[in-house]
Amino acid sequence: MHVFYTPDINSDQYILNEEESRHCSKVLRLNVNDIIHLIDGKGGLYQAQINDVSKKHVHLQIITKQFEYGKRNHHLHIAIAPTKNIDRLEWFLEKATEIGIDEITPIICDRSERKIVKEERLEKVITSAVKQSLTAYHPKLNEAVSYTDFLKQNFLGEKLIAHCMDGEKSYINQQVDIHQSYLILIGPEGDFSPIELDLALHNGYKPVTLGNTRLRTETAALAACFEVNYINR
Amino acid sequence: MHVFYTPDINSDQYILNEEESRHCSKVLRLNVNDIIHLIDGKGGLYQAQINDVSKKHVHLQIITKQFEYGKRNHHLHIAIAPTKNIDRLEWFLEKATEIGIDEITPIICDRSERKIVKEERLEKVITSAVKQSLTAYHPKLNEAVSYTDFLKQNFLGEKLIAHCMDGEKSYINQQVDIHQSYLILIGPEGDFSPIELDLALHNGYKPVTLGNTRLRTETAALAACFEVNYINR
Protein backbone atom coordinates (compact mmCIF):
# COMPACT_ATOMS: atom_id res chain seq x y z
CA MET A 1 0.00 0.00 0.00
CA HIS A 2 1.65 3.22 -1.21
CA VAL A 3 0.75 6.34 0.77
CA PHE A 4 1.45 9.95 -0.19
CA TYR A 5 1.02 13.05 1.93
CA THR A 6 -1.07 15.65 0.09
CA PRO A 7 -2.09 18.42 2.53
CA ASP A 8 -3.27 20.75 -0.28
CA ILE A 9 -5.72 18.34 -1.92
CA ASN A 10 -9.02 20.11 -2.68
CA SER A 11 -10.68 18.44 -5.68
CA ASP A 12 -11.10 15.10 -7.43
CA GLN A 13 -7.95 15.69 -9.41
CA TYR A 14 -4.49 15.96 -7.91
CA ILE A 15 -0.97 16.36 -9.28
CA LEU A 16 1.91 15.09 -7.16
CA ASN A 17 4.76 17.56 -6.76
CA GLU A 18 8.08 16.83 -8.51
CA GLU A 19 9.65 15.03 -5.58
CA GLU A 20 6.63 12.83 -4.88
CA SER A 21 6.15 12.24 -8.62
CA ARG A 22 9.72 11.03 -8.96
CA HIS A 23 9.26 8.75 -5.96
CA CYS A 24 6.00 7.43 -7.40
CA SER A 25 7.13 6.76 -10.96
CA LYS A 26 10.89 6.18 -10.67
CA VAL A 27 11.33 4.62 -7.21
CA LEU A 28 8.05 2.73 -6.82
CA ARG A 29 7.78 2.23 -10.62
CA LEU A 30 4.06 2.94 -10.53
CA ASN A 31 2.28 3.68 -13.75
CA VAL A 32 -1.05 4.63 -15.34
CA ASN A 33 -4.05 2.88 -13.72
CA ASP A 34 -2.11 1.95 -10.60
CA ILE A 35 -3.84 2.80 -7.31
CA ILE A 36 -2.22 4.79 -4.50
CA HIS A 37 -3.46 6.29 -1.22
CA LEU A 38 -3.36 9.92 -0.19
CA ILE A 39 -3.50 11.45 3.28
CA ASP A 40 -4.27 15.13 3.77
CA GLY A 41 -3.17 15.33 7.40
CA LYS A 42 -6.60 16.62 8.47
CA GLY A 43 -8.29 13.23 8.72
CA GLY A 44 -8.86 12.65 5.00
CA LEU A 45 -7.84 9.33 3.46
CA TYR A 46 -8.16 9.07 -0.32
CA GLN A 47 -7.83 6.32 -2.88
CA ALA A 48 -6.48 7.63 -6.18
CA GLN A 49 -5.74 6.19 -9.59
CA ILE A 50 -2.82 7.31 -11.73
CA ASN A 51 -4.17 8.99 -14.91
CA ASP A 52 -1.01 10.19 -16.49
CA VAL A 53 2.72 10.06 -15.80
CA SER A 54 4.65 12.91 -17.39
CA LYS A 55 8.37 13.56 -16.98
CA LYS A 56 7.98 15.58 -13.82
CA HIS A 57 4.41 15.03 -12.65
CA VAL A 58 2.04 12.22 -11.80
CA HIS A 59 -1.62 13.07 -12.41
CA LEU A 60 -4.19 11.44 -10.17
CA GLN A 61 -7.94 10.87 -10.21
CA ILE A 62 -9.52 10.55 -6.76
CA ILE A 63 -11.70 7.43 -6.58
CA THR A 64 -12.80 7.26 -2.94
CA LYS A 65 -12.71 9.69 -0.02
CA GLN A 66 -12.88 8.91 3.68
CA PHE A 67 -13.09 11.75 6.20
CA GLU A 68 -12.18 11.74 9.90
CA TYR A 69 -10.19 8.55 9.29
CA GLY A 70 -8.87 7.31 12.65
CA LYS A 71 -10.34 10.31 14.45
CA ARG A 72 -9.00 10.47 18.00
CA ASN A 73 -11.22 10.77 21.09
CA HIS A 74 -8.86 13.12 22.94
CA HIS A 75 -6.22 15.77 22.27
CA LEU A 76 -2.66 15.24 23.43
CA HIS A 77 -0.10 18.03 23.45
CA ILE A 78 3.40 17.23 24.71
CA ALA A 79 5.84 20.05 25.39
CA ILE A 80 9.33 18.55 25.50
CA ALA A 81 12.79 19.96 26.03
CA PRO A 82 14.79 19.05 22.89
CA THR A 83 17.39 16.39 23.62
CA LYS A 84 21.11 17.17 23.34
CA ASN A 85 21.33 14.44 20.71
CA ILE A 86 18.62 15.47 18.24
CA ASP A 87 18.20 11.85 17.04
CA ARG A 88 16.47 11.12 20.33
CA LEU A 89 13.90 13.86 19.79
CA GLU A 90 13.36 12.72 16.20
CA TRP A 91 12.91 9.18 17.46
CA PHE A 92 10.27 10.40 19.91
CA LEU A 93 8.43 12.26 17.15
CA GLU A 94 8.36 9.14 14.95
CA LYS A 95 7.10 6.89 17.73
CA ALA A 96 4.60 9.37 19.16
CA THR A 97 3.16 9.83 15.66
CA GLU A 98 2.74 6.06 15.30
CA ILE A 99 1.08 5.70 18.71
CA GLY A 100 -0.99 8.87 18.62
CA ILE A 101 -0.24 12.51 19.41
CA ASP A 102 -1.82 15.77 18.27
CA GLU A 103 0.61 18.55 19.10
CA ILE A 104 4.27 18.90 20.09
CA THR A 105 6.11 21.99 21.31
CA PRO A 106 9.87 22.03 21.89
CA ILE A 107 10.50 24.02 25.08
CA ILE A 108 13.87 25.50 25.99
CA CYS A 109 14.51 25.05 29.71
CA ASP A 110 17.14 26.28 32.20
CA ARG A 111 19.10 23.06 31.85
CA SER A 112 18.56 22.53 28.13
CA GLU A 113 21.92 21.92 26.49
CA ARG A 114 20.22 22.31 23.12
CA LYS A 115 18.70 25.76 22.61
CA ILE A 116 17.92 25.49 18.90
CA VAL A 117 15.93 23.01 16.82
CA LYS A 118 15.41 22.87 13.06
CA GLU A 119 11.62 22.54 12.80
CA GLU A 120 11.83 21.74 9.08
CA ARG A 121 13.82 18.58 9.69
CA LEU A 122 11.53 17.49 12.54
CA GLU A 123 8.50 18.17 10.34
CA LYS A 124 9.90 15.69 7.77
CA VAL A 125 10.30 13.02 10.44
CA ILE A 126 6.67 13.43 11.51
CA THR A 127 5.39 13.36 7.92
CA SER A 128 7.23 10.16 7.07
CA ALA A 129 5.84 8.54 10.24
CA VAL A 130 2.37 9.76 9.25
CA LYS A 131 2.69 7.99 5.89
CA GLN A 132 4.27 4.87 7.33
CA SER A 133 1.67 4.45 10.07
CA LEU A 134 -1.26 5.58 7.91
CA THR A 135 -2.22 8.33 10.33
CA ALA A 136 -4.66 10.60 8.51
CA TYR A 137 -4.14 13.34 11.08
CA HIS A 138 -0.75 15.05 10.88
CA PRO A 139 0.53 16.03 14.36
CA LYS A 140 1.18 19.75 14.71
CA LEU A 141 4.75 20.76 15.50
CA ASN A 142 4.98 24.22 17.07
CA GLU A 143 8.02 26.47 17.00
CA ALA A 144 10.44 26.09 19.88
CA VAL A 145 9.71 28.51 22.69
CA SER A 146 11.27 29.30 26.07
CA TYR A 147 9.79 27.47 29.04
CA THR A 148 8.62 30.65 30.74
CA ASP A 149 6.97 32.00 27.58
CA PHE A 150 5.28 28.64 27.02
CA LEU A 151 3.74 28.70 30.51
CA LYS A 152 2.20 32.09 29.70
CA GLN A 153 0.15 30.51 26.88
CA ASN A 154 -3.47 29.67 27.63
CA PHE A 155 -4.50 26.03 27.61
CA LEU A 156 -7.94 24.64 28.40
CA GLY A 157 -7.62 21.09 29.72
CA GLU A 158 -5.55 18.84 31.95
CA LYS A 159 -2.11 20.34 32.57
CA LEU A 160 0.60 18.01 33.87
CA ILE A 161 4.31 18.21 34.56
CA ALA A 162 6.47 15.07 34.76
CA HIS A 163 9.55 15.59 36.91
CA CYS A 164 12.07 13.57 38.95
CA MET A 165 12.35 15.80 42.03
CA ASP A 166 11.02 14.81 45.44
CA GLY A 167 7.50 15.79 46.39
CA GLU A 168 4.00 14.44 46.00
CA LYS A 169 3.28 12.95 42.59
CA SER A 170 0.60 10.69 41.13
CA TYR A 171 0.35 8.62 38.00
CA ILE A 172 -1.25 10.33 35.01
CA ASN A 173 -4.33 8.08 35.17
CA GLN A 174 -4.90 9.16 38.79
CA GLN A 175 -4.78 12.84 37.82
CA VAL A 176 -6.97 13.10 34.74
CA ASP A 177 -10.38 12.26 33.27
CA ILE A 178 -10.68 10.52 29.91
CA HIS A 179 -11.59 12.19 26.59
CA GLN A 180 -10.00 15.50 27.54
CA SER A 181 -7.32 17.79 26.19
CA TYR A 182 -3.99 17.03 27.85
CA LEU A 183 -0.84 19.08 28.01
CA ILE A 184 2.21 17.38 29.49
CA LEU A 185 5.58 19.01 30.19
CA ILE A 186 8.70 16.84 29.80
CA GLY A 187 12.01 18.27 30.98
CA PRO A 188 15.56 18.07 29.62
CA GLU A 189 18.40 15.73 30.62
CA GLY A 190 18.99 16.80 34.22
CA ASP A 191 15.28 17.57 34.74
CA PHE A 192 13.50 20.89 35.22
CA SER A 193 15.00 23.34 37.70
CA PRO A 194 13.18 23.73 41.05
CA ILE A 195 12.19 27.24 39.96
CA GLU A 196 10.67 25.88 36.74
CA LEU A 197 8.75 23.27 38.72
CA ASP A 198 7.37 25.89 41.13
CA LEU A 199 6.36 28.08 38.19
CA ALA A 200 4.41 25.18 36.64
CA LEU A 201 2.70 24.28 39.91
CA HIS A 202 1.67 27.91 40.41
CA ASN A 203 0.27 27.85 36.88
CA GLY A 204 -2.01 24.92 37.70
CA TYR A 205 0.10 22.04 36.38
CA LYS A 206 -0.29 18.80 38.35
CA PRO A 207 2.92 16.86 39.14
CA VAL A 208 3.00 13.33 37.74
CA THR A 209 5.36 10.37 37.82
CA LEU A 210 5.86 7.92 34.95
CA GLY A 211 7.10 5.08 37.13
CA ASN A 212 10.02 4.17 39.37
CA THR A 213 12.78 3.75 36.80
CA ARG A 214 15.01 6.56 35.54
CA LEU A 215 13.76 7.38 32.04
CA ARG A 216 15.58 9.38 29.42
CA THR A 217 13.81 12.53 28.23
CA GLU A 218 12.49 10.95 25.03
CA THR A 219 11.49 7.74 26.82
CA ALA A 220 9.57 9.73 29.45
CA ALA A 221 7.76 11.66 26.73
CA LEU A 222 6.80 8.45 24.93
CA ALA A 223 5.72 6.82 28.21
CA ALA A 224 3.37 9.77 28.80
CA CYS A 225 2.10 9.42 25.23
CA PHE A 226 1.43 5.69 25.68
CA GLU A 227 -0.36 6.22 28.99
CA VAL A 228 -2.69 8.95 27.73
CA ASN A 229 -3.58 6.88 24.66
CA TYR A 230 -4.04 3.80 26.82
CA ILE A 231 -6.50 5.38 29.26
CA ASN A 232 -8.47 6.84 26.33
CA ARG A 233 -8.79 3.72 24.19
CA MET B 1 25.72 9.57 40.13
CA HIS B 2 28.28 7.26 38.48
CA VAL B 3 27.11 3.68 37.93
CA PHE B 4 29.24 0.69 36.95
CA TYR B 5 28.07 -2.77 35.93
CA THR B 6 29.85 -5.42 38.01
CA PRO B 7 28.11 -8.79 37.51
CA ASP B 8 30.96 -10.74 39.16
CA ILE B 9 31.00 -8.84 42.46
CA ASN B 10 31.17 -11.28 45.40
CA SER B 11 32.91 -9.58 48.35
CA ASP B 12 33.39 -6.22 50.05
CA GLN B 13 36.35 -5.48 47.81
CA TYR B 14 36.13 -5.04 44.04
CA ILE B 15 38.57 -4.15 41.30
CA LEU B 16 37.18 -2.56 38.14
CA ASN B 17 38.43 -4.14 34.92
CA GLU B 18 40.81 -2.18 32.72
CA GLU B 19 38.13 -0.62 30.54
CA GLU B 20 35.93 0.44 33.46
CA SER B 21 38.99 1.61 35.40
CA ARG B 22 40.06 3.84 32.53
CA HIS B 23 36.53 5.21 32.27
CA CYS B 24 36.44 5.82 36.03
CA SER B 25 39.83 7.50 36.45
CA LYS B 26 40.53 9.04 33.04
CA VAL B 27 37.08 9.94 31.66
CA LEU B 28 35.18 10.67 34.86
CA ARG B 29 38.39 11.86 36.60
CA LEU B 30 37.37 10.11 39.81
CA ASN B 31 39.97 9.58 42.50
CA VAL B 32 40.63 8.06 45.93
CA ASN B 33 37.73 8.52 48.39
CA ASP B 34 35.22 9.29 45.62
CA ILE B 35 31.96 7.34 45.82
CA ILE B 36 30.50 5.36 42.91
CA HIS B 37 27.59 2.95 42.51
CA LEU B 38 27.74 -0.65 41.32
CA ILE B 39 25.00 -2.81 39.86
CA ASP B 40 25.37 -6.59 39.66
CA GLY B 41 22.48 -7.19 37.27
CA LYS B 42 20.83 -9.58 39.75
CA GLY B 43 19.10 -6.94 41.86
CA GLY B 44 22.14 -5.81 43.85
CA LEU B 45 22.87 -2.10 44.15
CA TYR B 46 26.14 -1.18 45.91
CA GLN B 47 27.76 2.00 47.09
CA ALA B 48 31.53 1.82 46.85
CA GLN B 49 34.43 4.08 47.73
CA ILE B 50 37.61 4.29 45.67
CA ASN B 51 40.56 3.39 47.88
CA ASP B 52 43.27 3.05 45.27
CA VAL B 53 43.79 4.11 41.65
CA SER B 54 46.64 2.32 39.92
CA LYS B 55 47.64 2.67 36.27
CA LYS B 56 45.21 0.05 35.03
CA HIS B 57 42.91 -0.66 37.94
CA VAL B 58 40.57 1.12 40.32
CA HIS B 59 40.24 -0.62 43.69
CA LEU B 60 36.94 -0.28 45.51
CA GLN B 61 35.67 -0.80 49.03
CA ILE B 62 31.96 -1.65 49.23
CA ILE B 63 30.22 0.60 51.77
CA THR B 64 26.54 -0.27 51.45
CA LYS B 65 24.63 -3.13 49.80
CA GLN B 66 21.00 -3.20 48.73
CA PHE B 67 19.46 -6.42 47.41
CA GLU B 68 16.38 -6.88 45.22
CA TYR B 69 16.64 -3.21 44.26
CA GLY B 70 13.64 -2.31 42.07
CA LYS B 71 12.41 -5.92 42.15
CA ARG B 72 9.65 -6.40 39.58
CA ASN B 73 6.26 -7.92 40.41
CA HIS B 74 5.97 -9.82 37.11
CA HIS B 75 8.14 -11.43 34.45
CA LEU B 76 8.03 -10.14 30.88
CA HIS B 77 9.60 -12.03 27.99
CA ILE B 78 9.30 -10.53 24.52
CA ALA B 79 10.24 -12.61 21.49
CA ILE B 80 10.78 -10.24 18.59
CA ALA B 81 11.77 -10.67 14.96
CA PRO B 82 14.98 -8.64 14.49
CA THR B 83 14.36 -5.55 12.38
CA LYS B 84 15.99 -5.17 8.95
CA ASN B 85 17.67 -2.03 10.26
CA ILE B 86 19.36 -3.28 13.44
CA ASP B 87 19.28 0.24 14.98
CA ARG B 88 15.55 -0.23 15.47
CA LEU B 89 16.03 -3.42 17.48
CA GLU B 90 18.81 -1.79 19.51
CA TRP B 91 16.52 1.15 20.15
CA PHE B 92 13.82 -1.22 21.41
CA LEU B 93 16.30 -2.95 23.73
CA GLU B 94 17.37 0.37 25.22
CA LYS B 95 13.82 1.61 25.77
CA ALA B 96 12.48 -1.72 27.04
CA THR B 97 15.34 -1.87 29.56
CA GLU B 98 14.45 1.61 30.79
CA ILE B 99 10.76 0.80 31.12
CA GLY B 100 11.11 -2.75 32.41
CA ILE B 101 11.65 -6.10 30.71
CA ASP B 102 13.13 -9.39 31.93
CA GLU B 103 13.92 -11.45 28.87
CA ILE B 104 14.25 -10.94 25.12
CA THR B 105 14.59 -13.55 22.38
CA PRO B 106 15.22 -12.64 18.74
CA ILE B 107 13.09 -14.96 16.60
CA ILE B 108 13.73 -15.57 12.91
CA CYS B 109 10.42 -15.71 11.05
CA ASP B 110 9.32 -16.62 7.49
CA ARG B 111 9.32 -12.96 6.48
CA SER B 112 12.39 -11.88 8.45
CA GLU B 113 14.73 -10.01 6.11
CA ARG B 114 17.39 -10.19 8.82
CA LYS B 115 18.36 -13.75 9.72
CA ILE B 116 21.42 -13.00 11.85
CA VAL B 117 21.98 -10.83 14.92
CA LYS B 118 25.19 -10.08 16.82
CA GLU B 119 24.16 -10.80 20.42
CA GLU B 120 27.38 -9.26 21.76
CA ARG B 121 26.54 -5.85 20.34
CA LEU B 122 22.94 -6.06 21.59
CA GLU B 123 24.20 -7.09 25.05
CA LYS B 124 26.25 -3.87 25.18
CA VAL B 125 23.18 -1.79 24.35
CA ILE B 126 21.22 -3.43 27.18
CA THR B 127 24.06 -3.01 29.68
CA SER B 128 24.49 0.69 28.96
CA ALA B 129 20.72 1.18 29.35
CA VAL B 130 20.88 -0.77 32.63
CA LYS B 131 23.52 1.64 33.93
CA GLN B 132 21.82 4.75 32.59
CA SER B 133 18.41 3.85 34.01
CA LEU B 134 19.81 2.39 37.25
CA THR B 135 18.10 -0.95 36.69
CA ALA B 136 19.65 -3.39 39.13
CA TYR B 137 18.25 -6.34 37.17
CA HIS B 138 19.97 -6.93 33.82
CA PRO B 139 17.49 -8.18 31.20
CA LYS B 140 18.41 -11.56 29.74
CA LEU B 141 19.09 -11.64 26.01
CA ASN B 142 18.72 -15.12 24.54
CA GLU B 143 20.37 -16.36 21.36
CA ALA B 144 18.40 -15.87 18.16
CA VAL B 145 16.29 -18.92 17.31
CA SER B 146 13.95 -19.89 14.49
CA TYR B 147 10.28 -19.18 15.11
CA THR B 148 9.28 -22.83 14.91
CA ASP B 149 12.02 -23.92 17.31
CA PHE B 150 11.04 -21.15 19.71
CA LEU B 151 7.43 -22.34 19.81
CA LYS B 152 8.65 -25.80 20.84
CA GLN B 153 10.11 -24.35 24.04
CA ASN B 154 8.09 -24.73 27.23
CA PHE B 155 6.75 -21.61 28.89
CA LEU B 156 4.59 -21.43 31.99
CA GLY B 157 2.47 -18.29 31.91
CA GLU B 158 0.44 -16.04 29.66
CA LYS B 159 1.36 -16.57 25.99
CA LEU B 160 0.36 -13.87 23.53
CA ILE B 161 0.93 -13.15 19.86
CA ALA B 162 0.51 -9.61 18.46
CA HIS B 163 -0.34 -9.66 14.76
CA CYS B 164 -1.99 -7.46 12.11
CA MET B 165 -4.07 -10.09 10.29
CA ASP B 166 -7.85 -10.19 10.43
CA GLY B 167 -9.53 -12.31 13.08
CA GLU B 168 -10.62 -11.95 16.66
CA LYS B 169 -8.16 -10.08 18.87
CA SER B 170 -8.31 -8.44 22.28
CA TYR B 171 -6.14 -5.95 24.08
CA ILE B 172 -3.42 -7.42 26.30
CA ASN B 173 -5.16 -6.20 29.48
CA GLN B 174 -8.31 -8.11 28.44
CA GLN B 175 -6.36 -11.33 27.97
CA VAL B 176 -4.15 -11.59 31.04
CA ASP B 177 -4.11 -11.48 34.85
CA ILE B 178 -1.66 -9.26 36.72
CA HIS B 179 1.55 -10.43 38.43
CA GLN B 180 2.11 -13.27 35.98
CA SER B 181 4.82 -14.40 33.61
CA TYR B 182 4.12 -13.08 30.11
CA LEU B 183 5.53 -14.13 26.78
CA ILE B 184 4.64 -11.95 23.80
CA LEU B 185 5.50 -12.66 20.16
CA ILE B 186 6.20 -9.66 17.90
CA GLY B 187 6.55 -10.30 14.17
CA PRO B 188 8.82 -8.82 11.50
CA GLU B 189 8.13 -6.03 9.01
CA GLY B 190 5.35 -7.59 6.94
CA ASP B 191 3.96 -9.46 9.97
CA PHE B 192 3.92 -13.18 10.74
CA SER B 193 2.83 -15.54 7.98
CA PRO B 194 -0.65 -17.09 8.33
CA ILE B 195 1.04 -20.45 8.95
CA GLU B 196 3.10 -18.96 11.77
CA LEU B 197 -0.03 -17.46 13.30
CA ASP B 198 -1.90 -20.78 13.15
CA LEU B 199 1.07 -22.53 14.72
CA ALA B 200 1.07 -20.07 17.63
CA LEU B 201 -2.68 -20.35 18.15
CA HIS B 202 -2.42 -24.14 18.19
CA ASN B 203 0.33 -23.78 20.78
CA GLY B 204 -1.95 -21.84 23.12
CA TYR B 205 -0.93 -18.29 22.25
CA LYS B 206 -3.76 -15.76 22.51
CA PRO B 207 -4.05 -13.18 19.71
CA VAL B 208 -3.75 -9.56 20.84
CA THR B 209 -3.94 -6.13 19.25
CA LEU B 210 -1.88 -3.13 20.35
CA GLY B 211 -4.27 -0.55 18.95
CA ASN B 212 -5.67 0.73 15.67
CA THR B 213 -2.61 2.40 14.20
CA ARG B 214 0.01 0.65 12.07
CA LEU B 215 3.03 0.21 14.32
CA ARG B 216 6.56 -0.64 13.25
CA THR B 217 7.99 -3.86 14.70
CA GLU B 218 10.03 -2.11 17.39
CA THR B 219 7.17 0.25 18.27
CA ALA B 220 4.77 -2.68 18.63
CA ALA B 221 7.23 -4.46 20.92
CA LEU B 222 7.65 -1.38 23.08
CA ALA B 223 3.88 -0.79 23.17
CA ALA B 224 3.47 -4.34 24.50
CA CYS B 225 6.21 -3.68 27.05
CA PHE B 226 4.54 -0.47 28.21
CA GLU B 227 1.13 -2.12 28.51
CA VAL B 228 2.34 -5.09 30.56
CA ASN B 229 4.26 -2.81 32.92
CA TYR B 230 1.28 -0.46 33.15
CA ILE B 231 -1.24 -3.11 34.16
CA ASN B 232 1.22 -4.48 36.73
CA ARG B 233 2.19 -1.23 38.40
Side-chain angles (χ1 to χ4, degrees), chain A residues 57-70:
Chain A
H57 289 104
V58 169
H59 298 249
L60 304 169
Q61 172 67 46
I62 311 303
I63 305 167
T64 67
K65 302 177 190 179
Q66 207 175 332
F67 297 115
E68 298 195 337
Y69 177 78

Side-chain angles (χ1 to χ4, degrees), chain A residues 137-154:
Chain A
Y137 290 89
H138 192 295
K140 180 166 180 275
L141 176 70
N142 300 315
E143 274 192 14
V145 55
S146 80
Y147 179 82
T148 43
D149 286 348
F150 183 77
L151 258 55
K152 290 181 190 138
Q153 298 176 11
N154 290 324

Side-chain angles (χ1 to χ4, degrees), chain A residues 30-89:
Chain A
L30 298 174
N31 217 324
V32 173
N33 293 332
D34 285 336
I35 302 290
I36 64 175
H37 289 78
L38 312 179
I39 278 172
D40 66 9
K42 304 175 221 40
L45 174 65
Y46 307 77
Q47 215 181 16
Q49 184 165 39
I50 298 175
N51 266 351
D52 181 47
V53 177
S54 69
K55 198 144 185 265
K56 292 187 166 178
H57 289 104
V58 169
H59 298 249
L60 304 169
Q61 172 67 46
I62 311 303
I63 305 167
T64 67
K65 302 177 190 179
Q66 207 175 332
F67 297 115
E68 298 195 337
Y69 177 78
K71 191 171 197 293
R72 288 158 53 71
N73 62 6
H74 63 282
H75 187 277
L76 174 58
H77 180 175
I78 290 185
I80 177 176
T83 48
K84 185 181 171 189
N85 171 354
I86 198 68
D87 293 354
R88 296 186 170 276
L89 179 62

Side-chain angles (χ1 to χ4, degrees), chain B residues 85-96:
Chain B
N85 171 356
I86 198 69
D87 293 353
R88 296 186 171 277
L89 179 62
E90 292 181 2
W91 165 83
F92 162 71
L93 293 173
E94 175 184 302
K95 297 313 172 196

Side-chain angles (χ1 to χ4, degrees), chain B residues 79-85 89 105-117 144-148 186-193 196 217:
Chain B
I80 175 175
T83 48
K84 184 181 173 190
N85 171 356
L89 179 62
T105 305
I107 45 171
I108 311 304
C109 303
D110 289 349
R111 297 177 185 162
S112 291
E113 291 195 51
R114 171 180 294 277
K115 310 276 186 198
I116 296 158
V117 294
V145 56
S146 80
Y147 179 82
T148 43
I186 304 290
E189 292 97 339
D191 207 358
F192 293 108
S193 69
E196 287 174 326
T217 293

Side-chain angles (χ1 to χ4, degrees), chain A residues 2-4 22-31 36:
Chain A
H2 302 300
V3 182
F4 292 81
R22 198 177 313 109
H23 182 68
C24 180
S25 58
K26 299 278 179 297
V27 181
L28 301 174
R29 303 269 182 80
L30 298 174
N31 217 324
I36 64 175

Side-chain angles (χ1 to χ4, degrees), chain A:
Chain A
M1 180 165 179
H2 302 300
V3 182
F4 292 81
Y5 178 56
T6 56
D8 56 345
I9 188 167
N10 58 14
S11 80
D12 287 355
Q13 312 283 330
Y14 191 81
I15 302 173
L16 294 178
N17 65 34
E18 275 197 47
E19 188 188 346
E20 294 278 40
S21 294
R22 198 177 313 109
H23 182 68
C24 180
S25 58
K26 299 278 179 297
V27 181
L28 301 174
R29 303 269 182 80
L30 298 174
N31 217 324
V32 173
N33 293 332
D34 285 336
I35 302 290
I36 64 175
H37 289 78
L38 312 179
I39 278 172
D40 66 9
K42 304 175 221 40
L45 174 65
Y46 307 77
Q47 215 181 16
Q49 184 165 39
I50 298 175
N51 266 351
D52 181 47
V53 177
S54 69
K55 198 144 185 265
K56 292 187 166 178
H57 289 104
V58 169
H59 298 249
L60 304 169
Q61 172 67 46
I62 311 303
I63 305 167
T64 67
K65 302 177 190 179
Q66 207 175 332
F67 297 115
E68 298 195 337
Y69 177 78
K71 191 171 197 293
R72 288 158 53 71
N73 62 6
H74 63 282
H75 187 277
L76 174 58
H77 180 175
I78 290 185
I80 177 176
T83 48
K84 185 181 171 189
N85 171 354
I86 198 68
D87 293 354
R88 296 186 170 276
L89 179 62
E90 292 180 3
W91 164 85
F92 162 71
L93 293 173
E94 175 184 299
K95 298 314 173 195
T97 301
E98 287 180 59
I99 289 146
I101 192 165
D102 302 282
E103 201 170 344
I104 305 107
T105 305
I107 46 172
I108 310 306
C109 303
D110 289 349
R111 297 178 184 160
S112 291
E113 292 196 50
R114 171 179 294 278
K115 312 276 186 198
I116 296 157
V117 293
K118 295 203 181 75
E119 279 84 3
E120 199 184 309
R121 162 79 193 150
L122 301 181
E123 202 60 61
K124 282 205 173 97
V125 172
I126 294 174
T127 300
S128 88
V130 159
K131 293 197 283 185
Q132 193 277 333
S133 62
L134 202 64
T135 308
Y137 290 89
H138 192 295
K140 180 166 180 275
L141 176 70
N142 300 315
E143 274 192 14
V145 55
S146 80
Y147 179 82
T148 43
D149 286 348
F150 183 77
L151 258 55
K152 290 181 190 138
Q153 298 176 11
N154 290 324
F155 176 81
L156 202 63
E158 309 267 15
K159 299 193 293 184
L160 307 170
I161 179 168
H163 70 85
C164 309
M165 285 168 262
D166 295 339
E168 209 169 284
K169 283 177 270 183
S170 331
Y171 287 117
I172 291 174
N173 66 317
Q174 298 167 320
Q175 286 284 27
V176 303
D177 294 328
I178 61 170
H179 304 163
Q180 303 294 311
S181 286
Y182 311 89
L183 171 55
I184 306 176
L185 306 178
I186 303 290
E189 293 94 340
D191 206 0
F192 292 108
S193 69
I195 294 153
E196 286 175 325
L197 175 58
D198 285 347
L199 196 61
L201 299 179
H202 283 100
N203 277 271
Y205 284 80
K206 299 173 189 166
V208 291
T209 174
L210 298 164
N212 304 324
T213 51
R214 289 205 305 188
L215 303 179
R216 288 180 175 274
T217 293
E218 74 280 7
T219 317
L222 194 68
C225 184
F226 265 109
E227 187 161 345
V228 168
N229 278 278
Y230 180 91
I231 61 182
N232 281 288
R233 81 184 181 191

